[in-house]
Amino acid sequence: MSKYQDLKNTLSYIHSELNRVETMAGTLSSIERDHYNRLANFDHREILDIAVEEQIAARQLGTMKHMCLAMAEKIEEIKNAIDRGELVEGTHRDEAH
């Protein structure tokens, strides 16, 4: 197996795991948002504080979801560059110097 095929397999694995993390973050974000909505209906200061924490967690998980998506897209670009031979050519040039 060539080192580029090994790299592509590694990138495929990372891409797959990022998709799993993205899905989990999205699911947890939805749950946290639902908790916020349910807790925000209570007229109790401590429960409202917990609701705000749930809202913050939902936002952070949403951000994590978008970060995973962006990283997965970058990995796909790298895999496509390998398929087009762009990384191979660059490596040979670097080795010549």
Side-chain angles (χ1 to χ4, degrees), residues 19-20 22 53:
N19 284 338
R20 286 183 55 202
E22 177 195 353
E53 290 174 3

Side-chain angles (χ1 to χ4, degrees), residues 10 33 43 55 87:
T10 300
R33 201 173 310 113
D43 188 24
Q55 185 181 42
L87 293 182

